[in-house]
Each structure stands twice: as structure tokens, then as C-alpha cells.
Amino acid sequence: MKAEDLVGKYTVIVANMKPRKMRFGMSEGMLLVAGPGDKNLWLLEPQICINAFLSSRVVLILGCFG
């Protein structure tokens, strides 16, 4: 995923990590994704903005809806 792919999307970011030098540059956080692994990972995208603040809790409800 490229940075341009995130423009206009809501997502969950883990940002209180110690900065670390990576191949692509400095990393200070991670996007939260889900899936079984390998290339089967999906970005968690809340469908509405819930006016979350720094340090807000993330609650995941697991199950199949449909």
C-alpha cells in the first residue's frame, strides 16, 4: 500500500511506538490491519468518523455480518 492510497480514508494507527530505522526510512507507527497473513491482509477502515482522540480505545467485535 502506498501513502497516496490512504488519502481520504479513516483508519486505525498505532502511533506511540519508539522510532525505528527501516529500509524505507524512519517508522514511528503502524496501520492496523487484519487477516490470515502473507498478502491476505486488509486495512481496518471504520465506515464513519467517531471523533476519536489520541489514546482512544479500539474495540473489535469479531464475527460474520451479512
Side-chain angles (χ1 to χ4, degrees):
M1 176 171 283
K2 298 178 184 175
E4 302 85 47
D5 297 334
L6 299 172
V7 174
K9 293 185 179 183
Y10 295 112
T11 188
V12 179
I13 299 173
V14 179
N16 63 342
M17 300 175 64
K18 181 179 177 182
R20 180 178 172 184
K21 180 132 175 87
M22 306 289 279
R23 253 186 299 168
F24 57 84
M26 289 300 289
S27 174
E28 297 183 55
M30 293 187 294
L31 296 172
L32 190 56
V33 299
D38 196 21
K39 293 186 178 188
N40 295 314
L41 295 173
W42 299 278
L43 181 66
L44 294 182
E45 296 182 66
Q47 296 302 305
I48 59 171
C49 178
I50 54 172
N51 295 323
F53 298 97
L54 291 175
S55 301
S56 293
R57 291 182 182 204
V58 175
V59 178
L60 300 175
I61 300 172
L62 303 175
C64 268
F65 302 95

